[in-house]
Amino acid sequence: MWNANGLHADLERLASVRQLARDEYLFRQGEAVTALFEVLEGRLRLVRRTIDDHLVVLHTARTGDLFTESSLFAEVYHCDAVTTVPSRVRVYPKDEFIATLRRAPGAWEDFSARLAHQLQALRTRMELRNIRSARERVLQYLRLHVGARERTLRIEGNLQDVAADLGLTREAFYRTLAKLEAEGVLSRTREAIVLNRFPAT
């Protein structure tokens, strides 16, 4: 039997739950891989430290997200995981997770499908980051994420997380949003960004 996240129900009986404070590390780059994680509540940033000691945000894991799947096949974590708000995380032990995948019919196929979906999402983020203009990067992000009818992007967390996904500084992202709002292209509330029209590129 599989749960809503596509994981075998047996795994939930093996898992534990951790409560994390804001800015608390779940794991650090270079630590041995012991588990796979699911965000039950809150947000965590996956951050990699470069050789010249700069931090690069790789991904923001939000409520309902499963993360570190690729680390199941690695010896150490290749990034840090740190909370941006108080969070609860379900911890799936690595060895038990792999054992369950091996014995459950179709489990590897389902897990591979999840990884393929994440690869597609990664390619989308790379496509966005390759757009040089901040304006066009933001507009393309909105085109990809707003609802087909409402043209509304619901904000979960804060706009800084969206800026990190786009590879923009907070200042550059806020400045671009302000310009687009002044032009009437979009409007904003605390909970959402509404794309009023698709401007010509």
Side-chain angles (χ1 to χ4, degrees):
M1 182 182 296
W2 296 83
N3 66 16
N5 283 330
L7 293 179
H8 200 281
D10 287 349
L11 288 167
E12 290 193 5
R13 289 188 284 272
L14 297 170
S16 59
V17 175
R18 282 190 60 182
Q19 185 77 41
L20 301 168
R22 180 177 179 176
D23 297 326
E24 183 175 351
Y25 282 82
L26 178 62
F27 57 79
R28 292 181 182 267
Q29 186 173 334
E31 290 181 353
V33 174
T34 59
L36 175 143
F37 305 96
E38 178 187 0
V39 183
L40 298 178
E41 183 179 1
R43 294 188 307 279
L44 292 92
R45 283 186 185 156
L46 304 185
V47 183
R48 182 173 295 166
R49 190 174 296 278
T50 65
I51 195 170
D52 54 354
D53 208 35
H54 286 110
L55 294 179
V56 178
V57 178
L58 303 177
H59 179 59
T60 300
R62 298 174 172 86
T63 300
D65 284 352
L66 194 69
F67 64 102
T68 67
E69 293 100 320
S70 59
S71 293
L72 288 177
F73 308 100
E75 295 297 322
V76 298
Y77 294 112
H78 295 124
C79 62
D80 299 338
V82 59
T83 61
T84 61
V85 295
S87 303
R88 287 192 309 121
V89 176
R90 181 174 284 138
V91 181
Y92 298 94
K94 174 182 177 179
D95 292 342
E96 288 88 341
F97 189 92
I98 292 175
T100 300
L101 289 180
R102 285 174 174 164
R103 71 171 179 263
W108 278 114
E109 289 83 356
D110 290 341
F111 187 62
S112 296
R114 174 178 285 274
L115 293 180
H117 177 75
Q118 289 194 332
L119 178 59
Q120 291 172 344
L122 174 61
R123 286 175 173 168
T124 298
R125 290 198 299 273
M126 291 177 64
E127 174 190 341
L128 288 169
R129 292 189 181 201
N130 283 332
I131 298 173
R132 297 188 66 180
S133 163
R135 173 191 172 89
E136 296 308 318
R137 195 182 301 187
V138 170
L139 286 172
Q140 182 64 6
Y141 179 89
L142 293 174
R143 289 187 183 101
L144 291 171
H145 290 87
V146 298
R149 293 185 178 181
E150 294 184 2
R151 295 187 175 183
T152 299
L153 174 67
R154 303 295 174 185
I155 302 299
E156 297 180 3
N158 56 58
L159 288 174
Q160 188 172 345
D161 292 332
V162 178
D165 286 345
L166 287 168
L168 294 172
T169 65
R170 179 176 59 183
E171 294 76 16
F173 182 54
Y174 287 7
R175 187 165 55 247
T176 302
L177 286 179
K179 289 180 180 178
L180 290 170
E181 189 170 23
E183 295 170 13
V185 173
L186 58 84
S187 54
R188 289 185 288 167
T189 68
R190 290 187 61 184
E191 296 81 18
I193 297 174
V194 180
L195 189 58
N196 298 325
R197 59 185 174 87
F198 289 100
T201 57

